[in-house]
Amino acid sequence: MSSAAADDGYPLHDLRVEVMPEADGKPFICKHKAGDYFTVTDDDLITMGEGVRFPMYSLAAILPLLPAKQRDLHPNDWMNTDAVIACPDPHCGGRFRIIRETRRMHSHSENSALPLDKTSQAEDHA
């Protein structure tokens, strides 16, 4: 983060989403492989390891939760404790664990074309 943007920083956690071993005795139907994973870093970049493939429907079920899991949350928020997502195929035993990793500071000015309006922010939090 540049020093000029130091006052517009916000924290986000890097994430790791990994395929867990088969659950509840149900086999994998959707071509999951236990141990496969992808990471979310640098605010919103998804990286998969070499040879890792993720089924489209599983990815679609996971993606909406990732922005919330990246953020600092209230200690009582259920998103702090609930980190296992089921494959959306009801016949598949696939489960995916979202793991918070490094907490990094990001800059609004480096991630948005819109300027911060500090006046309206103060009103929103009043």
Side-chain angles (χ1 to χ4, degrees):
M1 181 168 47
S2 69
S3 59
D7 65 342
D8 75 343
Y10 59 94
L12 291 178
H13 293 266
D14 290 348
L15 301 175
R16 177 183 173 100
V17 179
E18 62 184 38
V19 179
M20 299 173 62
E22 292 179 10
D24 306 324
K26 289 184 180 180
F28 290 163
I29 303 296
C30 301
K31 300 182 176 125
H32 310 296
K33 284 177 45 186
D36 276 356
Y37 69 92
F38 65 86
T39 58
V40 181
T41 59
D42 295 326
D43 200 5
D44 65 352
L45 297 178
I46 294 175
T47 304
M48 294 189 193
E50 188 175 333
V52 172
R53 301 179 327 165
F54 250 81
M56 177 176 63
Y57 295 107
S58 300
L59 196 56
I62 296 166
L63 287 176
L65 301 171
L66 298 181
K69 293 298 278 185
Q70 285 185 297
R71 284 158 171 74
D72 290 338
L73 302 167
H74 186 279
N76 298 335
D77 191 322
W78 65 271
M79 288 292 276
N80 275 326
T81 56
D82 295 24
V84 176
I85 310 305
C87 177
D89 182 333
H91 304 287
C92 183
R95 300 287 184 271
F96 312 94
R97 181 176 308 280
I98 302 172
I99 302 162
R100 282 180 161 179
E101 294 191 325
T102 305
R103 184 178 183 261
R104 300 178 194 273
M105 292 302 293
H106 296 271
S107 168
H108 178 274
S109 63
E110 293 174 1
N111 290 290
S112 177
L114 301 176
L116 279 175
D117 181 355
K118 303 243 182 205
T119 306
S120 68
Q121 283 183 338
E123 291 169 2
D124 289 345
H125 295 301

